[in-house]
Amino acid sequence: RRFLSLEFLLFLVRRVLWSILVLVGLSIVIFGIARGMPGDPARLALGPRATQEQVNELSHSLGLDRPLYEQYGMFVSGLAKGDLGLSLLTKRPVNDDIRDTFSATFELVLATITLAFVLGVPLGVMAARWKDKWPDNLVRLIAIISAVTPSFFLALLLQILAGYVLHILPTTGRLPPTMSFSADITGLVTIDSLLHGRLDVFGEAWRYLLLPSIALSAATMGQIARITRASMIDVSSQDYIEAARAFGIPERLRVFKYMLRPSFVPPLTISGLEFASLIGNAFVVELVFAWPGMAAYGVRTILQKDLNAVMGVVIVSGVFFVLVNLVIDVLVGFVDPRVRIRGHR
């Protein structure tokens, strides 16, 4: 009842309003950056052989010859209608391009965060439980190495070892070229293949997903392990843990019942933030593994100064980031009652 109290709901309303302000600010910033990029988008779209009349005609049709405030008004009006405009790179609506590529990035990032969380939290718990002993030193070494290793380097290393030396996993794409399958329900191949009863597609989808998700999850896994360790050590010094120890409660029960739940808040928050940020920052790994995702699509549009596509990708990433943060607020408030109390103020 306290979780669904009026005060906590007002706290969420305030967060929603702040999120809207953040998105408005993001739209202004990305519009200014996109318009300030060097080069003529119309010229880049038509190529060097196009006449000046053709360039002027395309600029006029896109509204690029209007004042900046009118262009921004057109941009905001399109956003309100859910219309992100036409991509100069693909000659398709940006909505269609993002719809076709977002699911691939979302599936990759979802697998990445799941892998990082499933590995990082137990490693952090193990390090805290055997603090300053060899398991702790080993976990800290793994965490530091994974945190400082660039994802593109690890991606190339995994690609060479697993794909070209050992020949055990595929290195490019989302499915084998000879396998025909349409993820027409959720857009996620791993889920839709199960819904369609295609276990062969499910197995191949995971084989193609494994290497890029490992390369992308290493840094996040190390960060989650270190934060979980620090949080567990901090909770272990609390009075109620000392009281539980004095009453003779078994160590396993103390660790997994009384220490792990309050220690969940920092790794949960980091996982959510990483999940949101990776939607737009997974382009290096996507490019290495030729993963047909939105992040790689965004890089290609930036190189071509495809203004509508660039702004569309950034706006979609920003909206996703804001939504994930709101979900994190709700989950953290559910896990940690102290957050609910702070939300009442």
Side-chain angles (χ1 to χ4, degrees):
R1 292 170 59 182
R2 289 180 60 195
F3 180 66
L4 295 176
S5 64
L6 177 61
E7 292 83 358
F8 190 76
L9 291 177
L10 290 175
F11 168 73
L12 290 181
V13 169
R14 289 195 297 270
R15 289 304 307 269
V16 169
L17 293 177
W18 275 110
S19 301
I20 294 174
L21 291 177
V22 168
L23 292 176
V24 171
L26 176 63
S27 68
I28 296 174
V29 171
I30 189 58
F31 177 82
I33 293 176
R35 288 302 187 268
M37 293 170 61
D40 185 354
R43 171 63 67 181
L44 291 174
L46 295 176
R49 295 186 178 181
T51 64
Q52 188 60 42
E53 289 76 11
Q54 292 173 322
V55 173
N56 294 338
E57 182 180 354
L58 180 58
S59 297
H60 179 72
S61 64
L62 296 175
L64 298 177
D65 56 348
R66 298 185 181 183
L68 289 178
Y69 67 88
E70 291 188 15
Q71 295 183 41
Y72 179 72
M74 294 169 56
F75 172 60
V76 174
S77 176
L79 286 180
K81 300 175 183 177
D83 182 12
L84 297 175
L86 187 69
S87 170
L88 299 178
L89 177 65
T90 63
K91 306 300 188 294
R92 301 174 60 207
V94 175
N95 300 54
D96 294 344
D97 289 341
I98 291 180
R99 185 182 63 247
D100 293 344
T101 57
F102 179 81
S103 59
T105 295
F106 183 79
E107 186 170 34
L108 173 60
V109 172
L110 185 61
T112 296
I113 291 299
T114 302
L115 184 62
F117 195 82
V118 168
L119 294 179
V121 171
L123 287 175
V125 172
M126 183 177 69
R129 190 175 181 183
W130 285 283
K131 182 176 178 291
D132 296 329
K133 297 181 180 179
W134 73 264
D136 182 24
N137 296 330
L138 178 62
V139 170
R140 284 191 288 177
L141 179 62
I142 294 173
I144 292 174
I145 293 175
S146 62
V148 301
T149 303
S151 58
F152 74 88
F153 175 79
L154 184 58
L156 291 173
L157 183 63
L158 291 173
Q159 194 176 57
I160 293 172
L161 291 178
Y164 298 106
V165 176
L166 301 177
H167 300 285
I168 56 175
L169 289 171
T171 58
T172 56
R174 200 176 179 189
L175 281 175
T178 57
M179 180 172 287
S180 177
F181 180 77
S182 176
D184 53 1
I185 301 177
T186 66
L188 309 182
V189 176
T190 51
I191 295 178
D192 286 1
S193 59
L194 290 179
L195 296 178
H196 285 287
R198 294 286 303 274
L199 296 181
D200 56 333
V201 176
F202 177 78
E204 287 297 321
W206 272 109
R207 290 183 69 245
Y208 276 78
L209 187 61
L210 192 58
L211 287 184
S213 61
I214 291 175
L216 203 56
S217 67
T220 303
M221 183 271 293
Q223 191 174 10
I224 291 175
R226 290 187 292 111
I227 291 176
T228 303
R229 174 187 180 274
S231 182
M232 289 283 291
I233 292 174
D234 180 65
V235 171
S236 67
S237 63
Q238 300 296 318
D239 293 339
Y240 72 94
I241 299 298
E242 296 294 340
R245 187 179 294 111
F247 278 108
I249 296 178
E251 182 181 8
R252 183 180 297 273
L253 185 61
R254 291 200 312 269
V255 170
F256 292 102
K257 183 175 181 180
Y258 298 109
M259 293 173 58
L260 185 57
R261 179 170 178 173
S263 300
F264 241 47
V265 174
L268 181 63
T269 303
I270 291 298
S271 299
L273 294 176
E274 287 292 321
F275 180 58
S277 64
L278 284 175
I279 288 292
N281 296 333
F283 62 90
V284 174
V285 172
E286 288 187 355
L287 291 174
V288 171
F289 290 99
W291 191 263
M294 187 184 71
Y297 167 75
V299 172
R300 293 195 301 271
T301 59
I302 290 174
L303 296 177
Q304 294 294 324
K305 200 182 177 183
D306 189 346
L307 300 182
N308 290 336
V310 170
M311 292 188 292
V313 169
V314 174
I315 289 296
V316 169
S317 301
V319 170
F320 189 81
F321 192 91
V322 168
L323 291 177
V324 169
N325 272 274
L326 289 176
V327 173
I328 292 173
D329 287 337
V330 176
L331 292 178
V332 169
F334 178 76
V335 172
D336 190 351
R338 295 171 297 178
V339 176
R340 308 176 205 170
I341 296 174
R342 288 195 295 267
H344 296 165
R345 298 175 182 175

